[in-house]
Amino acid sequence: KFCARMLQGYDHVLEVGCGDGFGSRFVRHVVNRLTAIDIDAAMIESAKACHGKFGIDFKCTDVIEFADAIYSLDVMEHIEHEASKVWLAQLAYFSPVVIVGMPSLEAQPYASQLSRENHINCMRGADFKLMMKQHFKHVFMHSVNDEIVGTGNFNMAHYNIAIGIN
């Protein structure tokens, strides 16, 4: 919902790591064209079957393409830290507006064991902003708790969203 509000009116938007496409349809309703990619073929097939009727171009690929804006939620925490720097640089190259969201490091003690094992790159809000600043001229940080999006107190946030603009 947050990405839909931020990206409303954009022409071509790319979602990186769309999973089963559930959230894609929120964005599709407010943009002219949405391309949603994921590397998991089963997820893409599910997304096409469930949400293809909404006019979303689902693709099984890891190839990022040029877009007016890119968003990626719940992906970066699964990428090794050093590789995530390269990944962010790629996103910045392909679009002047990039939204990235991930669970906060502060929330990890409350996560399940499986979640902690798979979330190898969660960061504190301040560290996330510093990393984004390496690739974007402007970075706007948001902290999230229970669908409430704010601009502060990252120590209490369960989720962090960064908007990078060049």
Side-chain angles (χ1 to χ4, degrees):
K1 293 176 190 176
F2 178 83
C3 289
R5 293 281 185 186
M6 296 297 106
L7 301 173
Q8 187 170 4
Y10 276 76
D11 183 42
H12 180 218
V13 174
L14 175 68
E15 179 181 6
V16 176
C18 65
D20 66 2
F22 175 77
S24 307
R25 42 188 208 168
F26 293 108
V27 175
R28 175 61 186 100
H29 287 296
V30 299
V31 302
N32 187 45
R33 184 168 58 123
L34 177 62
T35 303
I37 65 172
D38 202 290
I39 59 172
D40 187 325
M43 285 292 199
I44 290 295
E45 290 308 311
S46 175
K48 286 179 180 178
C50 295
H51 311 294
K53 63 186 173 197
F54 294 105
I56 302 164
D57 184 16
F58 289 106
K59 297 179 182 179
C60 183
T61 184
D62 63 354
V63 176
I64 298 168
E65 60 187 63
F66 286 102
D68 298 320
I70 294 174
Y71 72 100
S72 183
L73 305 176
D74 298 312
V75 173
M76 192 167 147
E77 70 270 17
H78 300 285
I79 303 171
E80 291 285 346
H81 188 72
E82 290 304 312
S84 71
K85 293 177 185 178
V86 174
W87 180 77
L88 274 177
Q90 289 174 334
L91 297 183
Y93 175 79
F94 283 98
S95 181
V97 177
V98 175
I99 301 172
V100 179
M102 74 164 93
S104 69
L105 183 62
E106 289 83 0
Q108 293 314 293
Y110 309 103
S112 69
Q113 180 65 30
L114 180 61
S115 178
R116 286 193 305 273
E117 289 170 3
N118 287 292
H119 290 175
I120 59 173
N121 190 29
C122 293
M123 287 185 262
R124 298 183 191 288
D127 296 331
F128 188 15
K129 183 174 185 173
L130 284 174
M131 181 183 273
M132 290 288 290
K133 286 292 285 179
Q134 293 174 10
H135 306 287
F136 298 95
K137 184 175 180 179
H138 306 285
V139 176
F140 302 94
M141 294 298 298
H142 298 82
S143 58
V144 183
N145 283 310
D146 299 327
E147 289 200 34
I148 304 297
V149 179
T151 57
N153 208 340
F154 291 99
N155 293 332
M156 295 179 64
H158 289 128
Y159 199 82
N160 293 320
I161 299 175
I163 302 174
I165 300 173
N166 283 327

